[in-house]
């Protein structure tokens, strides 16, 4: 591949077809060049073994590790399973490339696997496989709007003592005696506009009461897509989808207690949960005296644990989190110690960092268990007998990447904090069923995974289970991404990212830069673990970045302010500020890299992303045109009012404010200065492709030049993870070669020489 500099007035040829072919086939050519690179394991129910997938020459294999004799064995007969699954799916499968990454074991010894959107059950005796029945549960769009065109799962709920069962009939609860089938109790107030949800029924432990949600349906908004080129030919097809958007009326769930013996309904007032975005599933206290649920207020600024007395219906505020910005509900875990509501392990960012607290369930007082400038990520296990908590966290270990996940143990009184993981890497721990042992799988982008079996009591090593071998990959010329750190806009906070160089990198040249962007607040996105294609989220992203780089670019990915797993102040940058996407921090990171490396050309920076990343990519051209010169935006949200209420109302707030206009690529389309390739799949069922058309309309009305591709039959992954993947990747490569390198691309419509 010849990479040259643009000569004034001359047409310069860019990468040839062979170079493109090398980049487009990078994944296929290199994904099988590692050995014994393991995925996270799953324990057997008896705790005597665990199984996992690992790479092997030219494919993958599933193995079981026996804890007693410390020996590996095949998890099943791969050849027979390939034939059985092939017969069930109507395809021919390779035994060393089975199309799933994990499996679960049933009580009869069969295994269940998921392929695409379907589940299959396979006998490990006969090796016959059959498609598992689909879930009977009613679809709930983004957890806030039930699809009432689909019947709810009305499977009878049996009481713990086995005497009764509860179902719904004509929108009401019906309780029957299992002894003679007689109706013990029936509600009379259910209706289509205020119905009892059978999927929410929960019996009290003493079998005397039922807790259930009564539901007032929200607004059944529908959006439409036209399948213009059906695969079977013929006329276009109209596809209708139930799709709530920002500001829509959502389902209103209201908890109800049905006292079977007293034949009465106990219904609390909603003074403590008046304007719910979402209520959690109902949970009974162990003594059947009360039930509890969490309330996430619309607008996401209040999050509350509510307890309802089962006899009186009195609702009580147990613990409440409030914020001037957001309370990030997805990681607000809690644990009711003993199930009686007296001690509750609670997570909170009230001191500026996400930490563990012990709440007194009677008066709501909190006692902090962990503290410091680091983040608790999740509660992994609560050992009530030993009064200890096992949790995952990041940022506590100084001198290493603050995003590396580690595992710890702490006592209920906050004493005795100790680490279960110590290596300078990202750790993924799986506890044995009896919680006495754990498997620790750890890696870095520059270090293949190591799997160890250890004891919980003291963290001592029992045995090393796996150590990945990447010698063949290294021999093929692979180089790990460089981890690079620069200061944020405040001059203090470290911003982390990676730099990927082309395979024939020459430090004497200057390279244009392409940034891969996803600036959402629900996670961080720069890869932290080893990247073995498909073994974990982000693996293929790294391959895609390397494929771009090999055509003569520096490719980077950066976690700017507003992403997750740092302080609350760091996270809050995204609030009512989605259009920014942490870009001021990322630009400073780029400039720091250019100050260190002469080959890093910040006068030619492009950016690409999909979904929110697509919104971010176009937003970079609209809001920061002095820095970004070209963007490819896939399936972008672009105007958050037209998207689902979940994360849009979370980050931009509700009720609606001018923050929506400030972040809208539709409203701000007239500001376009750089070069844009706008891509959308016509059947995107995640983000309505109409919003990309609205961007195009606004650009046309503003007289702006841009390129646009509508992908027939393309979904939300069009251009990123689904077919026609190579075609769209090639178009993206072409776009950046032309716009950032100033070079011509192959004449693809002509036959190759």
């Amino acid at each position: 591949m010849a990479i040259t500099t643009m000569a004034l007035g001359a047409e310069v040829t860019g990468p040839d077809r062979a170079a493109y072919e090398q980049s487009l086939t990078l994944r296929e050519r290199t994904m099988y060049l590692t050995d014994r690179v393991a995925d996270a394991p799953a324990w057997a129910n008896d705790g005597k073994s665990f199984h996992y997938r690992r790479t092997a020459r030219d494919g993958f294999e599933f193995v079981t590790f026996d804890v007693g004799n410390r020996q590996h064995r095949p998890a099943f007969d791969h050849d027979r399973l390939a034939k059985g699954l092939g017969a069930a799916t109507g395809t021919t499968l390779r035994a060393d490339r089975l199309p799933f990454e994990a499996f679960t074991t049933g009580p009869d010894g069969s295994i269940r696997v998921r392929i695409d959107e379907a589940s299959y059950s396979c006998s490990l005796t006969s090796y016959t496989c059959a498609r598992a029945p689909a879930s009977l549960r009613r679809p709930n769009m983004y957890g806030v709007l039930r699809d009432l065109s689909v019947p709810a799962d009305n499977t009878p709920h049996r009481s713990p003592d086995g005497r009764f069962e509860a179902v719904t009939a004509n929108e009401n609860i019906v309780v029957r005696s299992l002894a003679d089938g007689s109706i013990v109790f029936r509600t009379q107030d259910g209706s289509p506009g205020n119905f009892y949800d059978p999927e929410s029924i929960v019996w009290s432990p003493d079998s005397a009461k039922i807790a259930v949600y009564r539901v007032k349906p929200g607004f059944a908004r529908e959006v439409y897509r036209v399948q213009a080129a059906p695969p079977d030919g013929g006329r276009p097809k109209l596809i209708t989808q139930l799709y709530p958007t920002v500001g829509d009326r959502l389902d209103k769930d209201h908890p109800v207690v049905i006292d079977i013996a007293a034949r009465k309904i106990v219904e609390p007032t909603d003074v403590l949960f008046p304007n719910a975005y979402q209520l959690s599933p109902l949970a009974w206290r162990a003594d059947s005296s009360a039930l509890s649920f969490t309330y996430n207020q619309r607008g996401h600024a209040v999050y509350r644990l509510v307890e309802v007395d089962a006899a009186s219906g009195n609702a009580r505020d147990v613990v409440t989190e409030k914020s001037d910005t957001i309370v990030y509900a997805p990681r607000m875990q809690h644990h009711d110690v003993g199930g009686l509501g007296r001690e509750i392990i609670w997570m909170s960012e009230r001191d500026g960092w996400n930490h563990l607290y012990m709440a007194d369930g009677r008066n709501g007082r909190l006692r902090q268990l962990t503290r410091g400038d680091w983040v608790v990520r999740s509660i992994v296990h609560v050992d009530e007998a030993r009064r200890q908590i096992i949790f995952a966290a990041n940022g506590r270990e100084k001198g290493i990447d603050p995003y590396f996940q580690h595992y710890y143990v702490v006592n209920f009184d906050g004493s005795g904090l100790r680490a279960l993981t110590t290596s300078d890497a990202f750790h993924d721990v799986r506890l044995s069923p009896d919680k006495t042992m754990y498997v620790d799988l750890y890696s870095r982008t520059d270090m293949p995974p190591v799997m160890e079996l250890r004891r919980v009591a003291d963290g001592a090593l029992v045995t090393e289970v796996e150590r990945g071998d990447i010698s063949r990959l290294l021999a093929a010329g692979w180089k790990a991404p460089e981890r690079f750190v620069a200061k944020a806009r405040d001059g203090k906070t470290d911003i982390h990212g990676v730099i990927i160089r082309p395979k024939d990198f020459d430090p004497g040249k200057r390279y244009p830069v392409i940034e891969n962007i996803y600036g959402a607040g629900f996670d961080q996105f720069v890869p932290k673990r080893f990247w073995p294609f498909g073994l974990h989220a982000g693996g293929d992203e790294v391959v895609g970045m390397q494929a771009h780089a090999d055509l003569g670019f520096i490719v980077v990915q950066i976690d700017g302010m507003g992403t997750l797993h740092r302080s609350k102040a760091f996270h809050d940058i995204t609030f009512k500020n989605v259009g920014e996407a942490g870009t001021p921090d990322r630009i400073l990171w780029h400039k720091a890299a250019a100050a260190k490396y002469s080959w890093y050309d910040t006068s030619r920076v492009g950016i690409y992303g999909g979904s929110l990343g697509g919104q971010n990519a176009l937003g970079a051209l609209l809001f920061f045109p002095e820095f970004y010169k070209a963007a490819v935006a896939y399936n972008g949200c672009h105007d958050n009012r037209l998207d689902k209420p979940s994360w849009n109302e979370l980050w931009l707030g509700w009720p609606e404010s001018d923050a929506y206009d400030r972040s809208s690529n539709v409203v701000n389309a007239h500001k376009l200065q750089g070069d844009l390739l706008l891509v959308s799949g016509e059947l995107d069922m995640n983000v309505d492709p109409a919003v990309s058309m609205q961007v195009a309309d606004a650009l046309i009305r503003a007289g702006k030049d841009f390129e646009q591709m509508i992908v027939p039959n393309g979904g939300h992954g069009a251009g990123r993870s689904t077919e026609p993947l190579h075609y769209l990747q090639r178009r993206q490569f072409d776009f950046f070669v032309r716009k950032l390198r100033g070079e011509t691309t192959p004449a693809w419509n002509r036959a190759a020489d």
Side-chain angles (χ1 to χ4, degrees), residues 251-328:
D251 285 354
K252 182 175 177 60
D253 293 2
H254 194 98
V256 173
V257 176
I258 298 174
D259 189 321
I260 308 301
R263 300 179 184 277
K264 70 174 182 177
I265 298 173
V266 179
E267 185 171 350
T269 64
D270 66 355
V271 65
L272 291 176
F273 47 98
N275 182 27
Y277 169 75
Q278 196 172 54
L279 303 182
S280 68
L282 298 166
W284 282 97
R285 298 302 190 202
D287 60 4
S288 301
S289 65
L291 58 99
S292 68
F293 56 90
T294 57
Y295 163 64
N296 183 12
Q297 183 171 287
R298 194 118 190 223
H300 304 273
V302 176
Y303 185 84
R304 174 177 293 135
L305 177 62
V306 179
E307 181 182 271
V308 174
D309 183 271
S312 67
N314 291 334
R316 187 170 64 87
D317 176 359
V318 181
V319 188
T320 293
E321 295 290 325
K322 293 184 179 181
S323 175
D324 293 332
T325 54
I326 58 171
V327 179
Y328 189 54

Side-chain angles (χ1 to χ4, degrees), residues 659-671:
Y660 284 85
D661 278 349
R662 287 188 280 106
S663 291
S664 170
N665 291 344
V666 177
V667 172
N668 295 284
H670 64 280
K671 298 178 181 178

Side-chain angles (χ1 to χ4, degrees), residues 120-344:
Y120 295 85
S121 180
C122 300
S123 165
L124 294 189
T125 303
S126 65
Y127 282 90
T128 57
C129 299
R131 185 164 179 165
S135 171
L136 296 176
R137 293 187 68 84
R138 169 182 279 157
N140 192 334
M141 303 306 294
Y142 308 107
V144 296
L145 189 69
R146 295 164 176 83
D147 185 349
L148 300 183
S149 69
V150 178
D153 182 359
N154 201 18
T155 302
H157 291 256
R158 183 168 293 191
S159 62
D161 64 7
R163 296 174 58 207
F164 308 107
E165 66 178 14
V167 295
T168 61
N170 298 322
E171 319 299 350
N172 280 284
I173 292 287
V174 177
V175 180
R176 289 193 290 255
S177 168
L178 286 170
D180 58 12
S182 62
I183 295 177
V184 177
F185 183 79
R186 182 200 297 268
T187 63
Q188 303 292 334
D189 56 350
S191 68
N194 195 14
F195 63 87
Y196 289 92
D197 179 10
E199 296 180 352
S200 69
I201 294 172
V202 184
W203 279 94
S204 61
D206 64 4
S207 300
K209 302 177 182 69
I210 289 170
V212 62
Y213 278 127
R214 195 161 59 194
V215 182
K216 291 183 179 179
F219 175 59
R221 180 181 298 281
E222 294 178 339
V223 297
Y224 310 99
R225 290 150 178 86
V226 175
Q227 188 176 27
D232 56 358
R235 297 180 178 181
K237 298 178 180 178
L238 177 66
I239 297 174
T240 302
Q241 181 189 18
L242 185 68
Y243 191 101
T245 59
V246 166
D248 282 350
R249 187 177 72 249
L250 310 179
D251 285 354
K252 182 175 177 60
D253 293 2
H254 194 98
V256 173
V257 176
I258 298 174
D259 189 321
I260 308 301
R263 300 179 184 277
K264 70 174 182 177
I265 298 173
V266 179
E267 185 171 350
T269 64
D270 66 355
V271 65
L272 291 176
F273 47 98
N275 182 27
Y277 169 75
Q278 196 172 54
L279 303 182
S280 68
L282 298 166
W284 282 97
R285 298 302 190 202
D287 60 4
S288 301
S289 65
L291 58 99
S292 68
F293 56 90
T294 57
Y295 163 64
N296 183 12
Q297 183 171 287
R298 194 118 190 223
H300 304 273
V302 176
Y303 185 84
R304 174 177 293 135
L305 177 62
V306 179
E307 181 182 271
V308 174
D309 183 271
S312 67
N314 291 334
R316 187 170 64 87
D317 176 359
V318 181
V319 188
T320 293
E321 295 290 325
K322 293 184 179 181
S323 175
D324 293 332
T325 54
I326 58 171
V327 179
Y328 189 54
R331 67 175 179 190
M332 288 296 297
Q333 290 178 272
H334 72 277
H335 177 86
D336 181 359
V337 179
L340 296 173
R342 295 168 186 164
E343 290 182 301
I344 297 167

